[in-house]
Amino acid sequence: MKDLHKSALDSNISELIMCQNEVDLAIKSLHCWMKDESVSTNLFTKLSSAFIRKEPYGVVLIIAPWNYPLNLTLVPLVGALAAGNCVVLKPSEVSKNMEQFLAKVLPRYLDQSTFTVMLGGPEETTQLLENRFDYILFTGSPHVGKIIMTAAAKHLTPVTLELGGKNPCYVDDDCNPQTVANRVIWFRCLNAGQTCVAPDYILCSREMQDRLVPAMQSAITRFYGDDPKSSPDLGRIINQKHFKRLQGLLDCGRVAIGGQSDETELYIAPTVLVDVQETEPVMQEEIFGPILPIMNVQGPDEAVDFIRRREKPLALYAFSNDSEVVDQMLQQTSSGSFAGNEGFAFLTLPSLPLGGIGNSGMGRYHGKFSFDTFSHYRSCVLANPGLEKLNDIRYPPYSERKKQFITWALGFQNCTLL
Ligand code: NAD
């Protein structure tokens, strides 16, 4: 509430419950996740046991952003600790109340020999990155992601980069505009639009736009009342810098809904922009606020073209009553996540990985994916120290018979002959 004016329910849905679910799942499943995994053998290794051992990397650095300052700090922490690592946790200095809270409260509940919380911004993080870590998970912007990866490269430290970008949302002509408006507006306005996976812009025909705009107005009024500023359910922009940036974006295209702002309260009204040009700033940068531009395309083919001309997004949404259209969007595009006729729901499933592709990141986590991300999969073979006679066949000198046998034995998987 102090950092982002989040309502209690918003905080519960998007921060607390997700952390709690991750903790519960890790505690319940850890004995399974960490078991050695037996793998098949060939004739050469038939008398040995072959398996994968899940080992911790060592010391993991987790760098978090400010928009979900509890979730994006603790959910990776759960995975890293579950996998047996020690953790240096670097919350965002921008959500300063949560930063202080984590530094104060976490040591009360967790074994202090397994983690530490480092406070500070870019300068302190730059110094921190001079140290050698065994793994780094970074959540933040693609720009800083490149800085992190460069620093990690000096030590050949593996990284998971959870980045952002512009998430397209295609709305087909064959749709119920009110249903789409409800689902999109809710997700776009959650946390005042400061959500990495929120729909960043709409792609639809001019005809659908004419039906969608009144439906969006109706959804905004229904959710936040006639004066959204006084709604307890609408968040605020994190700080002056981001407020100013968003205020600048309100000049793009034409305001169809909203457009109001109040600097003293860091308030930006839920806003829909139409007649936007591709070259305008609102279509060039990640919006990260409650502003939703609509771009016009003729149909799914043009939408696919539009999307494929850009960086691969973190999330992609398609709304249509026609499952073939949804399937086309899924088949012909690429993104970290995809949701058909839905917005937020996929995030609530720890059974699905969260992660980007290309400019929106690399690697994944959540649930078992977190455990796997923070575990080194060590290949192990344990052979019998005796039975040397059986090995004779592989040593030189190589007769024609030996060569044939070795070639055959190496290609022979899951053999039960011996
Ligand atoms: P940011 O990249 O500015 O900062 C993220 C972290 O990096 C912070 O802890 C900050 O202290 C640190 N940092 C900033 N500049 C640095 C530098 N020069 N050197 C070293 N460390 C530095 O991102 P942000 O503004 O906190 O968050 C918004 C961005 O994060 C958006 O792009 C959003 O899409 C993305 N995001 C992605 C996900 C995801 O799961 N993929 C989730 C949330 C946010």
Side-chain angles (χ1 to χ4, degrees), residues 63-67 72 90-93 120-122 125-126 129 138-142 144 147-148 162-165 196 242 286 288 314 354:
I63 303 176
W66 50 263
N67 60 327
L72 299 171
K90 215 300 284 172
S92 172
E93 75 291 0
T125 315
T126 305
L129 285 165
F138 168 81
T139 308
S141 58
V144 179
I147 297 174
I148 304 296
E162 297 282 337
L163 310 178
C196 56
H242 282 283
E286 182 181 1
F288 228 53
L314 186 59
L354 178 69

PDB file of all heavy atoms in Angstrom, residues 63-67 72 90-93 120-122 125-126 129 138-142 144 147-148 162-165 196 242 286 288 314 354, ligand 1:
ATOM      1  N   ILE A  63      18.073 -10.528  -8.138  1.00  0.00           N
ATOM      2  CA  ILE A  63      17.860  -9.076  -8.241  1.00  0.00           C
ATOM      3  C   ILE A  63      16.411  -8.852  -8.670  1.00  0.00           C
ATOM      4  O   ILE A  63      15.964  -9.403  -9.679  1.00  0.00           O
ATOM      5  CB  ILE A  63      18.812  -8.444  -9.277  1.00  0.00           C
ATOM      6  CG1 ILE A  63      20.274  -8.761  -8.919  1.00  0.00           C
ATOM      7  CG2 ILE A  63      18.601  -6.935  -9.370  1.00  0.00           C
ATOM      8  CD1 ILE A  63      21.292  -8.254  -9.933  1.00  0.00           C
ATOM      9  N   ALA A  64      15.688  -8.062  -7.898  1.00  0.00           N
ATOM     10  CA  ALA A  64      14.236  -7.933  -8.126  1.00  0.00           C
ATOM     11  C   ALA A  64      13.843  -6.509  -8.535  1.00  0.00           C
ATOM     12  O   ALA A  64      14.534  -5.541  -8.197  1.00  0.00           O
ATOM     13  CB  ALA A  64      13.493  -8.333  -6.855  1.00  0.00           C
ATOM     14  N   PRO A  65      12.721  -6.380  -9.236  1.00  0.00           N
ATOM     15  CA  PRO A  65      12.194  -5.050  -9.586  1.00  0.00           C
ATOM     16  C   PRO A  65      11.189  -4.586  -8.530  1.00  0.00           C
ATOM     17  O   PRO A  65      10.976  -5.270  -7.522  1.00  0.00           O
ATOM     18  CB  PRO A  65      11.496  -5.318 -10.909  1.00  0.00           C
ATOM     19  CG  PRO A  65      10.942  -6.698 -10.760  1.00  0.00           C
ATOM     20  CD  PRO A  65      11.874  -7.438  -9.827  1.00  0.00           C
ATOM     21  N   TRP A  66      10.522  -3.465  -8.790  1.00  0.00           N
ATOM     22  CA  TRP A  66       9.676  -2.853  -7.773  1.00  0.00           C
ATOM     23  C   TRP A  66       8.194  -3.132  -7.940  1.00  0.00           C
ATOM     24  O   TRP A  66       7.394  -2.828  -7.064  1.00  0.00           O
ATOM     25  CB  TRP A  66       9.881  -1.328  -7.773  1.00  0.00           C
ATOM     26  CG  TRP A  66       9.773  -0.708  -9.147  1.00  0.00           C
ATOM     27  CD1 TRP A  66      10.809  -0.400  -9.977  1.00  0.00           C
ATOM     28  CD2 TRP A  66       8.579  -0.370  -9.871  1.00  0.00           C
ATOM     29  NE1 TRP A  66      10.346   0.100 -11.171  1.00  0.00           N
ATOM     30  CE2 TRP A  66       8.967   0.137 -11.129  1.00  0.00           C
ATOM     31  CE3 TRP A  66       7.213  -0.444  -9.583  1.00  0.00           C
ATOM     32  CZ2 TRP A  66       8.061   0.573 -12.095  1.00  0.00           C
ATOM     33  CZ3 TRP A  66       6.302  -0.027 -10.544  1.00  0.00           C
ATOM     34  CH2 TRP A  66       6.735   0.479 -11.777  1.00  0.00           C
ATOM     35  N   ASN A  67       7.778  -3.693  -9.088  1.00  0.00           N
ATOM     36  CA  ASN A  67       6.331  -3.669  -9.373  1.00  0.00           C
ATOM     37  C   ASN A  67       5.524  -4.702  -8.581  1.00  0.00           C
ATOM     38  O   ASN A  67       4.378  -4.444  -8.239  1.00  0.00           O
ATOM     39  CB  ASN A  67       6.060  -3.755 -10.879  1.00  0.00           C
ATOM     40  CG  ASN A  67       6.602  -4.996 -11.515  1.00  0.00           C
ATOM     41  OD1 ASN A  67       7.639  -5.513 -11.101  1.00  0.00           O
ATOM     42  ND2 ASN A  67       5.931  -5.489 -12.526  1.00  0.00           N
ATOM     43  N   LEU A  72       8.160 -10.975  -6.546  1.00  0.00           N
ATOM     44  CA  LEU A  72       9.319 -11.160  -7.427  1.00  0.00           C
ATOM     45  C   LEU A  72      10.636 -11.274  -6.657  1.00  0.00           C
ATOM     46  O   LEU A  72      11.680 -11.521  -7.237  1.00  0.00           O
ATOM     47  CB  LEU A  72       9.374 -10.030  -8.455  1.00  0.00           C
ATOM     48  CG  LEU A  72       8.139  -9.987  -9.371  1.00  0.00           C
ATOM     49  CD1 LEU A  72       8.122  -8.736 -10.237  1.00  0.00           C
ATOM     50  CD2 LEU A  72       8.069 -11.238 -10.253  1.00  0.00           C
ATOM     51  N   LYS A  90      18.591  -9.044  -3.599  1.00  0.00           N
ATOM     52  CA  LYS A  90      18.704  -7.597  -3.819  1.00  0.00           C
ATOM     53  C   LYS A  90      17.340  -7.081  -4.255  1.00  0.00           C
ATOM     54  O   LYS A  90      17.000  -7.083  -5.439  1.00  0.00           O
ATOM     55  CB  LYS A  90      19.762  -7.344  -4.909  1.00  0.00           C
ATOM     56  CG  LYS A  90      20.598  -6.110  -4.745  1.00  0.00           C
ATOM     57  CD  LYS A  90      19.817  -4.825  -4.736  1.00  0.00           C
ATOM     58  CE  LYS A  90      19.351  -4.398  -6.100  1.00  0.00           C
ATOM     59  NZ  LYS A  90      18.415  -3.242  -6.062  1.00  0.00           N
ATOM     60  N   PRO A  91      16.502  -6.643  -3.299  1.00  0.00           N
ATOM     61  CA  PRO A  91      15.202  -6.089  -3.677  1.00  0.00           C
ATOM     62  C   PRO A  91      15.396  -4.747  -4.387  1.00  0.00           C
ATOM     63  O   PRO A  91      16.505  -4.188  -4.368  1.00  0.00           O
ATOM     64  CB  PRO A  91      14.484  -5.879  -2.339  1.00  0.00           C
ATOM     65  CG  PRO A  91      15.433  -6.252  -1.263  1.00  0.00           C
ATOM     66  CD  PRO A  91      16.769  -6.512  -1.859  1.00  0.00           C
ATOM     67  N   SER A  92      14.329  -4.231  -4.974  1.00  0.00           N
ATOM     68  CA  SER A  92      14.446  -2.950  -5.658  1.00  0.00           C
ATOM     69  C   SER A  92      14.456  -1.806  -4.645  1.00  0.00           C
ATOM     70  O   SER A  92      13.656  -1.778  -3.710  1.00  0.00           O
ATOM     71  CB  SER A  92      13.288  -2.759  -6.626  1.00  0.00           C
ATOM     72  OG  SER A  92      13.325  -1.448  -7.146  1.00  0.00           O
ATOM     73  N   GLU A  93      15.353  -0.868  -4.876  1.00  0.00           N
ATOM     74  CA  GLU A  93      15.430   0.327  -4.031  1.00  0.00           C
ATOM     75  C   GLU A  93      14.254   1.266  -4.308  1.00  0.00           C
ATOM     76  O   GLU A  93      13.968   2.182  -3.540  1.00  0.00           O
ATOM     77  CB  GLU A  93      16.758   1.062  -4.263  1.00  0.00           C
ATOM     78  CG  GLU A  93      16.889   1.858  -5.570  1.00  0.00           C
ATOM     79  CD  GLU A  93      16.963   1.015  -6.850  1.00  0.00           C
ATOM     80  OE1 GLU A  93      16.907  -0.222  -6.778  1.00  0.00           O
ATOM     81  OE2 GLU A  93      17.071   1.626  -7.937  1.00  0.00           O
ATOM     82  N   GLY A 120      20.145  -1.244  -1.863  1.00  0.00           N
ATOM     83  CA  GLY A 120      20.800  -0.278  -2.739  1.00  0.00           C
ATOM     84  C   GLY A 120      20.271  -0.318  -4.155  1.00  0.00           C
ATOM     85  O   GLY A 120      19.450  -1.172  -4.509  1.00  0.00           O
ATOM     86  N   GLY A 121      20.754   0.637  -4.960  1.00  0.00           N
ATOM     87  CA  GLY A 121      20.306   0.782  -6.349  1.00  0.00           C
ATOM     88  C   GLY A 121      21.400   0.372  -7.319  1.00  0.00           C
ATOM     89  O   GLY A 121      22.241  -0.480  -7.011  1.00  0.00           O
ATOM     90  N   PRO A 122      21.420   1.025  -8.500  1.00  0.00           N
ATOM     91  CA  PRO A 122      22.365   0.638  -9.540  1.00  0.00           C
ATOM     92  C   PRO A 122      23.828   0.650  -9.075  1.00  0.00           C
ATOM     93  O   PRO A 122      24.582  -0.280  -9.395  1.00  0.00           O
ATOM     94  CB  PRO A 122      22.139   1.698 -10.622  1.00  0.00           C
ATOM     95  CG  PRO A 122      20.726   2.138 -10.423  1.00  0.00           C
ATOM     96  CD  PRO A 122      20.444   2.021  -8.967  1.00  0.00           C
ATOM     97  N   THR A 125      24.474  -2.261  -6.791  1.00  0.00           N
ATOM     98  CA  THR A 125      24.335  -3.526  -7.535  1.00  0.00           C
ATOM     99  C   THR A 125      25.531  -3.721  -8.460  1.00  0.00           C
ATOM    100  O   THR A 125      26.015  -4.844  -8.634  1.00  0.00           O
ATOM    101  CB  THR A 125      23.016  -3.537  -8.344  1.00  0.00           C
ATOM    102  OG1 THR A 125      21.966  -3.062  -7.498  1.00  0.00           O
ATOM    103  CG2 THR A 125      22.666  -4.923  -8.817  1.00  0.00           C
ATOM    104  N   THR A 126      26.041  -2.627  -9.032  1.00  0.00           N
ATOM    105  CA  THR A 126      27.228  -2.726  -9.893  1.00  0.00           C
ATOM    106  C   THR A 126      28.391  -3.293  -9.086  1.00  0.00           C
ATOM    107  O   THR A 126      29.117  -4.182  -9.555  1.00  0.00           O
ATOM    108  CB  THR A 126      27.585  -1.333 -10.463  1.00  0.00           C
ATOM    109  OG1 THR A 126      26.432  -0.825 -11.120  1.00  0.00           O
ATOM    110  CG2 THR A 126      28.739  -1.399 -11.442  1.00  0.00           C
ATOM    111  N   LEU A 129      27.921  -6.947  -8.359  1.00  0.00           N
ATOM    112  CA  LEU A 129      28.123  -7.809  -9.525  1.00  0.00           C
ATOM    113  C   LEU A 129      29.596  -8.056  -9.841  1.00  0.00           C
ATOM    114  O   LEU A 129      29.930  -8.896 -10.671  1.00  0.00           O
ATOM    115  CB  LEU A 129      27.439  -7.189 -10.757  1.00  0.00           C
ATOM    116  CG  LEU A 129      25.916  -7.315 -10.779  1.00  0.00           C
ATOM    117  CD1 LEU A 129      25.324  -6.375 -11.823  1.00  0.00           C
ATOM    118  CD2 LEU A 129      25.500  -8.756 -11.066  1.00  0.00           C
ATOM    119  N   PHE A 138      17.787 -12.469 -12.539  1.00  0.00           N
ATOM    120  CA  PHE A 138      17.473 -11.040 -12.598  1.00  0.00           C
ATOM    121  C   PHE A 138      16.071 -10.844 -13.144  1.00  0.00           C
ATOM    122  O   PHE A 138      15.710 -11.432 -14.176  1.00  0.00           O
ATOM    123  CB  PHE A 138      18.483 -10.320 -13.506  1.00  0.00           C
ATOM    124  CG  PHE A 138      18.079  -8.917 -13.852  1.00  0.00           C
ATOM    125  CD1 PHE A 138      18.304  -7.870 -12.969  1.00  0.00           C
ATOM    126  CD2 PHE A 138      17.435  -8.632 -15.065  1.00  0.00           C
ATOM    127  CE1 PHE A 138      17.910  -6.568 -13.276  1.00  0.00           C
ATOM    128  CE2 PHE A 138      17.045  -7.334 -15.389  1.00  0.00           C
ATOM    129  CZ  PHE A 138      17.281  -6.303 -14.489  1.00  0.00           C
ATOM    130  N   THR A 139      15.272 -10.030 -12.485  1.00  0.00           N
ATOM    131  CA  THR A 139      13.986  -9.610 -13.039  1.00  0.00           C
ATOM    132  C   THR A 139      14.022  -8.097 -13.205  1.00  0.00           C
ATOM    133  O   THR A 139      14.311  -7.377 -12.231  1.00  0.00           O
ATOM    134  CB  THR A 139      12.815  -9.999 -12.109  1.00  0.00           C
ATOM    135  OG1 THR A 139      12.913 -11.380 -11.794  1.00  0.00           O
ATOM    136  CG2 THR A 139      11.478  -9.733 -12.776  1.00  0.00           C
ATOM    137  N   GLY A 140      13.742  -7.623 -14.395  1.00  0.00           N
ATOM    138  CA  GLY A 140      13.775  -6.174 -14.633  1.00  0.00           C
ATOM    139  C   GLY A 140      13.702  -5.871 -16.115  1.00  0.00           C
ATOM    140  O   GLY A 140      13.185  -6.673 -16.907  1.00  0.00           O
ATOM    141  N   SER A 141      14.240  -4.727 -16.496  1.00  0.00           N
ATOM    142  CA  SER A 141      14.111  -4.274 -17.884  1.00  0.00           C
ATOM    143  C   SER A 141      15.151  -4.947 -18.788  1.00  0.00           C
ATOM    144  O   SER A 141      16.231  -5.331 -18.313  1.00  0.00           O
ATOM    145  CB  SER A 141      14.305  -2.761 -17.925  1.00  0.00           C
ATOM    146  OG  SER A 141      15.581  -2.456 -17.390  1.00  0.00           O
ATOM    147  N   PRO A 142      14.856  -5.054 -20.086  1.00  0.00           N
ATOM    148  CA  PRO A 142      15.845  -5.620 -21.013  1.00  0.00           C
ATOM    149  C   PRO A 142      17.155  -4.829 -20.999  1.00  0.00           C
ATOM    150  O   PRO A 142      18.239  -5.419 -21.102  1.00  0.00           O
ATOM    151  CB  PRO A 142      15.150  -5.512 -22.378  1.00  0.00           C
ATOM    152  CG  PRO A 142      13.688  -5.502 -22.060  1.00  0.00           C
ATOM    153  CD  PRO A 142      13.559  -4.791 -20.746  1.00  0.00           C
ATOM    154  N   VAL A 144      18.670  -3.192 -18.460  1.00  0.00           N
ATOM    155  CA  VAL A 144      19.523  -3.581 -17.316  1.00  0.00           C
ATOM    156  C   VAL A 144      19.878  -5.071 -17.419  1.00  0.00           C
ATOM    157  O   VAL A 144      20.974  -5.474 -17.015  1.00  0.00           O
ATOM    158  CB  VAL A 144      18.842  -3.239 -15.968  1.00  0.00           C
ATOM    159  CG1 VAL A 144      19.713  -3.661 -14.799  1.00  0.00           C
ATOM    160  CG2 VAL A 144      18.552  -1.742 -15.873  1.00  0.00           C
ATOM    161  N   ILE A 147      23.133  -5.411 -18.946  1.00  0.00           N
ATOM    162  CA  ILE A 147      24.225  -5.051 -18.022  1.00  0.00           C
ATOM    163  C   ILE A 147      24.530  -6.252 -17.103  1.00  0.00           C
ATOM    164  O   ILE A 147      25.685  -6.606 -16.867  1.00  0.00           O
ATOM    165  CB  ILE A 147      23.829  -3.812 -17.175  1.00  0.00           C
ATOM    166  CG1 ILE A 147      23.633  -2.603 -18.092  1.00  0.00           C
ATOM    167  CG2 ILE A 147      24.851  -3.531 -16.078  1.00  0.00           C
ATOM    168  CD1 ILE A 147      23.100  -1.348 -17.393  1.00  0.00           C
ATOM    169  N   ILE A 148      23.466  -6.888 -16.628  1.00  0.00           N
ATOM    170  CA  ILE A 148      23.640  -8.030 -15.711  1.00  0.00           C
ATOM    171  C   ILE A 148      24.345  -9.179 -16.441  1.00  0.00           C
ATOM    172  O   ILE A 148      25.276  -9.795 -15.917  1.00  0.00           O
ATOM    173  CB  ILE A 148      22.257  -8.526 -15.187  1.00  0.00           C
ATOM    174  CG1 ILE A 148      21.476  -7.384 -14.518  1.00  0.00           C
ATOM    175  CG2 ILE A 148      22.409  -9.744 -14.274  1.00  0.00           C
ATOM    176  CD1 ILE A 148      22.063  -6.793 -13.289  1.00  0.00           C
ATOM    177  N   GLU A 162      14.534 -12.443 -16.439  1.00  0.00           N
ATOM    178  CA  GLU A 162      13.077 -12.278 -16.547  1.00  0.00           C
ATOM    179  C   GLU A 162      12.842 -10.813 -16.915  1.00  0.00           C
ATOM    180  O   GLU A 162      12.885  -9.932 -16.060  1.00  0.00           O
ATOM    181  CB  GLU A 162      12.416 -12.612 -15.199  1.00  0.00           C
ATOM    182  CG  GLU A 162      12.607 -14.053 -14.773  1.00  0.00           C
ATOM    183  CD  GLU A 162      11.669 -15.008 -15.500  1.00  0.00           C
ATOM    184  OE1 GLU A 162      10.615 -14.558 -15.979  1.00  0.00           O
ATOM    185  OE2 GLU A 162      11.993 -16.208 -15.584  1.00  0.00           O
ATOM    186  N   LEU A 163      12.607 -10.563 -18.201  1.00  0.00           N
ATOM    187  CA  LEU A 163      12.583  -9.174 -18.677  1.00  0.00           C
ATOM    188  C   LEU A 163      11.175  -8.750 -19.081  1.00  0.00           C
ATOM    189  O   LEU A 163      10.207  -9.440 -18.821  1.00  0.00           O
ATOM    190  CB  LEU A 163      13.574  -9.021 -19.831  1.00  0.00           C
ATOM    191  CG  LEU A 163      14.991  -9.570 -19.546  1.00  0.00           C
ATOM    192  CD1 LEU A 163      15.893  -9.427 -20.757  1.00  0.00           C
ATOM    193  CD2 LEU A 163      15.604  -8.896 -18.323  1.00  0.00           C
ATOM    194  N   GLY A 164      11.087  -7.598 -19.706  1.00  0.00           N
ATOM    195  CA  GLY A 164       9.768  -7.063 -20.058  1.00  0.00           C
ATOM    196  C   GLY A 164       9.641  -6.835 -21.549  1.00  0.00           C
ATOM    197  O   GLY A 164      10.315  -7.472 -22.352  1.00  0.00           O
ATOM    198  N   GLY A 165       8.775  -5.912 -21.928  1.00  0.00           N
ATOM    199  CA  GLY A 165       8.565  -5.600 -23.342  1.00  0.00           C
ATOM    200  C   GLY A 165       7.114  -5.267 -23.596  1.00  0.00           C
ATOM    201  O   GLY A 165       6.358  -5.015 -22.662  1.00  0.00           O
ATOM    202  N   CYS A 196       4.426  -6.787 -15.729  1.00  0.00           N
ATOM    203  CA  CYS A 196       5.249  -7.137 -16.901  1.00  0.00           C
ATOM    204  C   CYS A 196       4.480  -7.922 -17.952  1.00  0.00           C
ATOM    205  O   CYS A 196       4.753  -7.801 -19.137  1.00  0.00           O
ATOM    206  CB  CYS A 196       6.465  -7.926 -16.461  1.00  0.00           C
ATOM    207  SG  CYS A 196       6.011  -9.392 -15.518  1.00  0.00           S
ATOM    208  N   HIS A 242       8.396   7.815 -13.189  1.00  0.00           N
ATOM    209  CA  HIS A 242       7.513   7.005 -14.039  1.00  0.00           C
ATOM    210  C   HIS A 242       6.209   7.747 -14.337  1.00  0.00           C
ATOM    211  O   HIS A 242       5.648   7.607 -15.419  1.00  0.00           O
ATOM    212  CB  HIS A 242       7.252   5.647 -13.399  1.00  0.00           C
ATOM    213  CG  HIS A 242       8.397   4.709 -13.567  1.00  0.00           C
ATOM    214  ND1 HIS A 242       8.660   4.046 -14.739  1.00  0.00           N
ATOM    215  CD2 HIS A 242       9.389   4.353 -12.720  1.00  0.00           C
ATOM    216  CE1 HIS A 242       9.742   3.318 -14.614  1.00  0.00           C
ATOM    217  NE2 HIS A 242      10.212   3.481 -13.391  1.00  0.00           N
ATOM    218  N   GLU A 286       7.878  -0.024 -23.633  1.00  0.00           N
ATOM    219  CA  GLU A 286       6.944  -0.732 -22.743  1.00  0.00           C
ATOM    220  C   GLU A 286       6.182   0.325 -21.945  1.00  0.00           C
ATOM    221  O   GLU A 286       6.790   1.221 -21.362  1.00  0.00           O
ATOM    222  CB  GLU A 286       7.750  -1.636 -21.810  1.00  0.00           C
ATOM    223  CG  GLU A 286       6.908  -2.451 -20.875  1.00  0.00           C
ATOM    224  CD  GLU A 286       7.766  -3.329 -19.942  1.00  0.00           C
ATOM    225  OE1 GLU A 286       9.009  -3.271 -20.019  1.00  0.00           O
ATOM    226  OE2 GLU A 286       7.160  -4.050 -19.133  1.00  0.00           O
ATOM    227  N   PHE A 288       3.872   0.116 -19.173  1.00  0.00           N
ATOM    228  CA  PHE A 288       3.979  -0.079 -17.717  1.00  0.00           C
ATOM    229  C   PHE A 288       3.145   0.948 -16.945  1.00  0.00           C
ATOM    230  O   PHE A 288       3.614   1.615 -16.014  1.00  0.00           O
ATOM    231  CB  PHE A 288       5.457   0.004 -17.303  1.00  0.00           C
ATOM    232  CG  PHE A 288       5.862  -1.125 -16.398  1.00  0.00           C
ATOM    233  CD1 PHE A 288       5.637  -2.432 -16.764  1.00  0.00           C
ATOM    234  CD2 PHE A 288       6.465  -0.893 -15.172  1.00  0.00           C
ATOM    235  CE1 PHE A 288       5.997  -3.492 -15.940  1.00  0.00           C
ATOM    236  CE2 PHE A 288       6.825  -1.935 -14.334  1.00  0.00           C
ATOM    237  CZ  PHE A 288       6.594  -3.233 -14.726  1.00  0.00           C
ATOM    238  N   LEU A 314       6.927 -11.042 -23.841  1.00  0.00           N
ATOM    239  CA  LEU A 314       6.852 -11.898 -22.656  1.00  0.00           C
ATOM    240  C   LEU A 314       5.523 -12.661 -22.649  1.00  0.00           C
ATOM    241  O   LEU A 314       5.465 -13.822 -22.256  1.00  0.00           O
ATOM    242  CB  LEU A 314       6.960 -11.013 -21.402  1.00  0.00           C
ATOM    243  CG  LEU A 314       7.041 -11.705 -20.059  1.00  0.00           C
ATOM    244  CD1 LEU A 314       8.249 -12.633 -19.990  1.00  0.00           C
ATOM    245  CD2 LEU A 314       7.128 -10.672 -18.935  1.00  0.00           C
ATOM    246  N   LEU A 354       7.193 -19.416 -15.801  1.00  0.00           N
ATOM    247  CA  LEU A 354       7.176 -17.999 -16.188  1.00  0.00           C
ATOM    248  C   LEU A 354       8.552 -17.662 -16.744  1.00  0.00           C
ATOM    249  O   LEU A 354       9.568 -17.840 -16.069  1.00  0.00           O
ATOM    250  CB  LEU A 354       6.878 -17.101 -14.980  1.00  0.00           C
ATOM    251  CG  LEU A 354       6.896 -15.596 -15.290  1.00  0.00           C
ATOM    252  CD1 LEU A 354       5.722 -15.200 -16.181  1.00  0.00           C
ATOM    253  CD2 LEU A 354       6.872 -14.757 -14.014  1.00  0.00           C
TER     254      LEU A 354
HETATM  255  P1  NAD B   1      15.087  -2.192 -13.695  1.00  0.00           P
HETATM  256  O1  NAD B   1      15.755  -3.018 -14.748  1.00  0.00           O
HETATM  257  O2  NAD B   1      15.273  -0.722 -13.753  1.00  0.00           O
HETATM  258  O3  NAD B   1      15.609  -2.627 -12.232  1.00  0.00           O
HETATM  259  C1  NAD B   1      15.567  -3.956 -11.783  1.00  0.00           C
HETATM  260  C2  NAD B   1      16.656  -4.181 -10.728  1.00  0.00           C
HETATM  261  O4  NAD B   1      17.922  -3.894 -11.296  1.00  0.00           O
HETATM  262  C3  NAD B   1      16.514  -3.304  -9.485  1.00  0.00           C
HETATM  263  O5  NAD B   1      16.764  -4.080  -8.335  1.00  0.00           O
HETATM  264  C4  NAD B   1      17.585  -2.238  -9.663  1.00  0.00           C
HETATM  265  O6  NAD B   1      18.144  -1.817  -8.454  1.00  0.00           O
HETATM  266  C5  NAD B   1      18.635  -2.960 -10.503  1.00  0.00           C
HETATM  267  N1  NAD B   1      19.350  -2.051 -11.405  1.00  0.00           N
HETATM  268  C6  NAD B   1      18.849  -0.966 -12.053  1.00  0.00           C
HETATM  269  N2  NAD B   1      19.794  -0.393 -12.831  1.00  0.00           N
HETATM  270  C7  NAD B   1      20.910  -1.136 -12.666  1.00  0.00           C
HETATM  271  C8  NAD B   1      22.241  -1.043 -13.186  1.00  0.00           C
HETATM  272  N3  NAD B   1      22.592  -0.077 -14.044  1.00  0.00           N
HETATM  273  N4  NAD B   1      23.140  -1.964 -12.813  1.00  0.00           N
HETATM  274  C9  NAD B   1      22.800  -2.958 -11.962  1.00  0.00           C
HETATM  275  N5  NAD B   1      21.564  -3.087 -11.421  1.00  0.00           N
HETATM  276  C10 NAD B   1      20.640  -2.184 -11.761  1.00  0.00           C
HETATM  277  O7  NAD B   1      13.551  -2.611 -13.718  1.00  0.00           O
HETATM  278  P2  NAD B   1      12.369  -2.025 -12.862  1.00  0.00           P
HETATM  279  O8  NAD B   1      12.086  -0.624 -13.313  1.00  0.00           O
HETATM  280  O9  NAD B   1      12.606  -2.262 -11.431  1.00  0.00           O
HETATM  281  O10 NAD B   1      11.174  -3.004 -13.315  1.00  0.00           O
HETATM  282  C11 NAD B   1      10.441  -2.823 -14.483  1.00  0.00           C
HETATM  283  C12 NAD B   1      10.879  -3.758 -15.572  1.00  0.00           C
HETATM  284  O11 NAD B   1      10.914  -5.094 -15.095  1.00  0.00           O
HETATM  285  C13 NAD B   1       9.915  -3.782 -16.741  1.00  0.00           C
HETATM  286  O12 NAD B   1      10.622  -3.859 -17.946  1.00  0.00           O
HETATM  287  C14 NAD B   1       9.117  -5.053 -16.510  1.00  0.00           C
HETATM  288  O13 NAD B   1       8.504  -5.570 -17.660  1.00  0.00           O
HETATM  289  C15 NAD B   1      10.167  -5.945 -15.966  1.00  0.00           C
HETATM  290  N6  NAD B   1       9.578  -7.042 -15.204  1.00  0.00           N
HETATM  291  C16 NAD B   1       9.674  -8.303 -15.681  1.00  0.00           C
HETATM  292  C17 NAD B   1       9.072  -9.354 -14.994  1.00  0.00           C
HETATM  293  C18 NAD B   1       9.129 -10.766 -15.488  1.00  0.00           C
HETATM  294  O14 NAD B   1       8.718 -11.664 -14.751  1.00  0.00           O
HETATM  295  N7  NAD B   1       9.622 -11.036 -16.685  1.00  0.00           N
HETATM  296  C19 NAD B   1       8.406  -9.080 -13.800  1.00  0.00           C
HETATM  297  C20 NAD B   1       8.350  -7.783 -13.348  1.00  0.00           C
HETATM  298  C21 NAD B   1       8.943  -6.756 -14.048  1.00  0.00           C
END
